[in-house]
């Protein structure tokens, strides 16, 4: 009894619909997971962007204040240290973030400084002077060993600073000194607390990092991370796309949902290329959907196991005949002579097996026809030697690798006395003679070469030589050919003698063009005939003689 494949598929889709119903809960929970993941990621990215903006605005404001102080000092070209000292003290009183502000003369000597620190010292070798004398300079976070010894440090932690310095010029454009400031890095912690405080009331396991542009070193973050480089793919992406988020596997081996924001500067402040990173432990971020996910997973697994048995039975009904057909097809591909079996039970598969049998029979017949046609196209019908088409294919393969480690010698051969055989004994005898000539040429044989009948009583032999004496090898082969064809032929009890003249040319010595090489060999052939026939002449010798 046969069944239509459509009926079988209807049953299968009915079973699949049950599976879809059982797994739809899993799909919804997965969607929820993705939605929560995206929401958390965007939230962390937004917070990181907010922190980055605060950092940039703070630095921009401090740079503007220092610039304003410099303008005030330059009023009326007055650069008196006492006046500048008063301005410096006022600036520090208004903005305690300035740990130290100083004014240096053009040679780097400190003429005025907050709290008198470093007053009279020579800072000409310090970056804050060396860079500031060139123009506006903003230095990244660093430890200042000299200042750290002079400034109060109740916490005992290493003091870190950000530098700002630039030149002061008079109305004539002459440099009158360098104004420099060290900003305490402690203000960055205040930014961190202001950003994380709202989040920590609602979320857990959230941490804040500031990463330098150079070497991605942690400038601010948990103590165990400060000063260490971070290797996260999201940092590079953030520097290109400004802000992003991803689930990253950190160097401690844990996965975190990580938000990135790249410092873009603010107004005239170009930014130091800091990357602000806020991370949250992945398990904590997605705790709200994990329980729902596992419930749906176990439910879906139970339903899958139940219907897997049903699906297996149904699929076996369909796949068994297809598997048999596949095995037979593989054995046919391996070269075995088999017949495609008939498969009954499903009409469509019965039709498929019949079509495959017909196709194999048709392909077998076509392969035989193609072999015959290829032989007809590539071989001379009278002598069974390769023809001009075969020669072209051989040259395409032989000349394809552009190498100088081999030589192709073209020997153009013409039979001496063949026309008289045709005239006296007839064309039929002439054809038999050409066949016997082809047999002797084939018997000589040559590896990696080809012997071609060009037409009439003309033949072309291509020798491939990889040695250092291709001319000697070709000459020896040509002499052997002449000696072989000088031996008498017996046709219809008639003793027939002929000879042959040969012209030779070498690739690539004489030319790199195969057509030109054949022409040269033909020209050398006619020189052999003029010189008395039954001999070999090379084109190189012909040109030398002329």
């Amino acid at each position: 009894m046969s069944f239509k494949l459509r009926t079988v598929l209807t049953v299968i889709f009915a079973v699949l619909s049950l599976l879809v119903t059982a797994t739809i809960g899993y799909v919804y929970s997965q969607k929820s997971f993705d939605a929560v993941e995206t929401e958390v990621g965007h939230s962390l990215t937004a917070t990181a962007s907010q922190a980055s903006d605060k950092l940039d605005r703070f630095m921009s404001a401090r740079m503007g204040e220092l610039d304003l102080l410099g303008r005030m000092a330059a009023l009326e070209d007055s650069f008196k240290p006492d006046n500048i000292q008063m301005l410096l003290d006022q600036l520090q009183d208004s903005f305690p973030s300035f740990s130290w502000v100083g004014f240096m003369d053009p040679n780097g000597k400190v003429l005025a400084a907050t709290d008198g620190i470093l007053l009279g010292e020579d800072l000409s070798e310090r970056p804050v002077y060396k860079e500031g004398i060139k123009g506006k300079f903003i230095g990244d976070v660093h430890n200042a060993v000299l200042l750290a010894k002079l400034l109060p440090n109740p916490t005992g932690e290493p003091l870190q600073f950000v530098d700002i310095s630039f030149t002061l010029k008079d109305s004539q454009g002459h440099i009158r000194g360098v104004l420099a400031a060290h900003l305490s890095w402690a203000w960055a912690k205040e930014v961190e607390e202001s950003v994380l405080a709202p989040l920590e009331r609602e979320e857990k396991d959230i941490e804040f990092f500031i990463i330098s542009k150079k070497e991605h070193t942690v400038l601010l973050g948990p103590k165990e991370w400060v000063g260490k480089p971070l290797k996260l793919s999201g940092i590079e992406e953030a520097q290109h796309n400004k802000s992003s988020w991803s689930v990253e596997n950190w160097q401690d081996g844990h996965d975190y949902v990580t938000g990135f924001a790249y410092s873009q500067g603010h107004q005239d402040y170009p930014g130091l290329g800091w990357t602000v990173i806020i991370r949250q432990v992945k398990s904590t971020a997605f705790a709200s959907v994990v329980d729902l996910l596992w419930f749906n997973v176990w439910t879906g697994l139970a339903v899958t196991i139940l219907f897997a048995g049903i699906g297996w039975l149904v699929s076996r009904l369909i796949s068994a005949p297809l598997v048999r057909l596949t095995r037979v097809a593989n054995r046919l591909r391996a070269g075995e002579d088999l017949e495609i079996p008939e498969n009954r039970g499903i009409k469509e598969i019965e039709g498929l097996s019949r079509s495959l049998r017909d196709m194999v029979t048709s392909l077998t017949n076509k392969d035989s026809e193609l072999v015959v046609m290829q032989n007809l196209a590539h071989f001379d019908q009278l002598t069974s030697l390769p023809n001009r088409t075969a020669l072209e294919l051989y040259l395409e393969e032989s000349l394809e690798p552009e190498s100088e480690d081999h030589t192709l010698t073209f020997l153009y051969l013409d039979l001496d006395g063949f026309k008289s055989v045709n005239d006296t004994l007839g064309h039929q005898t002439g054809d038999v003679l050409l066949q016997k000539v082809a047999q002797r040429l084939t018997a000589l044989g040559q590896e990696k070469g080809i012997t071609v009948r060009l037409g009439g009583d003309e033949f072309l032999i291509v020798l491939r030589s990889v040695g250092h004496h291709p001319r000697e090898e070709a000459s020896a082969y040509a002499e052997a050919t002449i000696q072989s064809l000088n031996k008498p032929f017996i046709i219809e009890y008639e003793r027939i003698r002929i000879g042959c003249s040969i012209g030779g040319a070498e690739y690539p010595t004489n030319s790199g063009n195969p057509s030109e090489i054949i022409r040269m060999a033909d020209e050398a052939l006619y020189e052999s005939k003029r010189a008395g026939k039954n001999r070999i002449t090379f084109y190189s010798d012909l040109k030398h003689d002329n």
Side-chain angles (χ1 to χ4, degrees), residues 468-478 506 538:
H468 297 290
H469 307 288
R471 172 69 69 84
E472 288 79 355
E473 294 178 18
S475 296
Y477 191 87
E506 297 169 303
F538 283 94

Side-chain angles (χ1 to χ4, degrees), residues 196-234:
L196 292 185
L199 284 177
E200 290 177 341
R201 288 193 292 267
E202 301 177 0
E203 303 289 346
K204 298 179 180 179
D205 299 331
I206 291 181
E207 292 178 305
F208 182 95
F209 296 80
I210 297 178
I211 311 301
S212 69
K213 183 176 183 179
K214 183 178 181 182
E215 298 178 354
H216 300 165
T217 302
V218 177
L219 303 176
L220 181 67
K223 291 183 179 180
E224 64 272 16
W225 288 95
V226 174
K228 296 180 180 180
L230 269 185
K231 298 179 180 179
L232 299 175
S233 59

Side-chain angles (χ1 to χ4, degrees), residues 35 98 150 177 187 200 224-225 264 270 280 315 360 462 475 477 521:
F98 286 103
L150 302 175
W187 60 268
E200 290 177 341
E224 64 272 16
W225 288 95
Q264 302 179 50
Q280 185 176 24
S315 64
V360 170
V462 181
S475 296
Y477 191 87

Side-chain angles (χ1 to χ4, degrees), residues 326-341:
T326 302
R327 289 174 179 170
V328 172
N330 288 334
R331 294 174 65 184
L332 284 171
R333 183 179 59 182
E336 297 185 35
D337 186 11
L338 297 174
E339 183 178 352
I340 301 293

Side-chain angles (χ1 to χ4, degrees), residues 322-451:
L322 296 177
V323 169
R324 287 195 296 271
L325 289 174
T326 302
R327 289 174 179 170
V328 172
N330 288 334
R331 294 174 65 184
L332 284 171
R333 183 179 59 182
E336 297 185 35
D337 186 11
L338 297 174
E339 183 178 352
I340 301 293
E342 293 188 14
N343 291 276
R344 298 187 179 278
I346 300 178
K347 290 183 177 181
E348 285 80 358
I349 295 182
E350 289 180 16
L352 176 61
S353 62
R354 285 196 299 269
S355 297
L356 287 175
R357 285 200 305 274
D358 295 341
M359 182 183 68
V360 170
T361 302
S362 176
L363 289 176
T364 302
N365 294 336
K366 288 185 180 295
D367 285 343
S368 301
E369 294 174 2
L370 285 174
V371 171
V372 174
M373 292 176 64
Q374 187 175 25
N375 288 334
L376 291 174
H378 292 173
F379 292 90
D380 179 62
Q381 298 305 302
L382 177 63
T383 63
S384 297
L385 287 176
N387 58 15
R388 290 178 180 269
T389 302
L391 174 63
E392 291 182 357
L393 294 175
Y394 174 79
L395 292 178
E396 285 179 359
E397 296 175 356
S398 299
L399 302 182
E400 180 179 355
E402 296 182 1
S403 174
E404 298 180 357
D405 63 353
H406 71 276
T407 299
L408 295 182
T409 304
F410 290 65
L411 299 179
Y412 204 120
L413 186 150
D414 183 81
L415 300 180
D416 298 328
F418 177 76
K419 184 176 184 300
S420 63
V421 174
N422 260 349
D423 293 342
T424 58
L425 300 179
H427 290 286
Q428 183 174 358
T429 301
D431 288 346
V432 175
L433 177 58
L434 288 174
Q435 292 173 343
K436 288 182 176 292
V437 168
Q439 292 170 3
R440 292 191 183 184
L441 292 177
T442 303
L444 288 172
Q446 74 276 352
E447 293 184 0
K448 300 181 180 178
I450 188 172
T451 301

